[in-house]
Amino acid sequence: MNRRLATAAFISALMLAGCGLQQDLSDVPIGNGPTGPATPITAPTVTGKPYDWSTTHGHVVVLDFWGSWCGPCNGEQPALDTLARQWMLKGVIFLGVDIQDTDPNAIAYERSYNVPYPSVNDASEVITSEYNVLDPPTIVIVDAKGNIVDRFLGTLVGVANDLTRLTS
């Protein structure tokens, strides 16, 4: 029994050490990835309603790429909800893009966090690919002219600054 316990402790230590080899998301530079025209998003929401990209014309848009299975997404969601509620009052449009998920899981996630904006299903990752998103959580900001101006991987730090700049 002691041998099993020692083996389990050794494997756990190796797994924890391996996590230290991964890049810390807070070290990823802000503004990475291509900018340029945003691809119009035409997909049903996770509740089955059609999403009309034309409603974003003339508005700053925050795209939240997430998955219910994503631990960092779960950790970030309460702060993102607060940010969304604040900026939606100022005309900023928020849209979630649910990656590699099922609609029931996405709906349960949205309900558990009381997410104030709709999300489209991107189980096939077509939208994710078009926006050059490698991992969730990623925030992509689109200006009122329809151009991608910034992206944030694993952090909300700087999002409010961009929104202030773009809505002033």
Side-chain angles (χ1 to χ4, degrees):
M1 190 67 159
N2 287 338
R3 185 180 176 125
R4 284 187 183 164
L5 185 57
T7 301
F10 177 73
I11 290 171
S12 294
L14 282 176
M15 290 174 62
L16 288 172
C19 289
L21 297 175
Q22 296 176 359
Q23 184 178 18
D24 182 350
L25 289 179
S26 65
D27 293 337
V28 175
I30 294 173
N32 58 348
T35 57
T39 303
I41 295 175
T42 54
T45 65
V46 297
T47 59
K49 297 177 183 173
Y51 185 78
D52 185 2
W53 183 257
S54 69
T55 61
T56 67
H57 181 73
H59 293 272
V60 173
V61 179
V62 175
L63 298 173
D64 168 31
F65 289 82
W66 64 277
S68 66
W69 47 267
C70 166
C73 299
N74 281 269
E76 175 180 275
Q77 194 63 56
L80 183 55
D81 290 346
T82 299
L83 188 76
R85 285 185 183 93
Q86 174 188 358
W87 287 96
M88 289 168 65
L89 293 173
K90 298 177 183 182
V92 175
I93 294 175
F94 281 69
L95 176 66
V97 180
D98 181 33
I99 304 170
Q100 296 179 350
D101 221 338
T102 65
D103 287 344
N105 286 345
I107 291 167
Y109 176 94
E110 288 183 337
R111 283 185 183 149
S112 70
Y113 289 108
N114 197 25
V115 178
Y117 50 88
S119 291
V120 295
N121 181 309
D122 192 29
S124 63
E125 296 188 68
V126 171
I127 300 166
T128 303
S129 176
E130 289 173 355
Y131 279 85
N132 197 35
V133 170
L134 302 177
D135 293 303
T138 296
I139 299 293
V140 175
I141 299 181
V142 179
D143 69 12
K145 295 178 183 176
N147 294 305
I148 298 170
V149 295
D150 217 342
R151 63 185 69 238
F152 300 84
L153 173 60
T155 183
L156 296 176
V157 175
V159 173
N161 291 341
D162 273 4
L163 296 178
T164 298
R165 178 177 52 82
L166 293 168
T167 58
S168 296

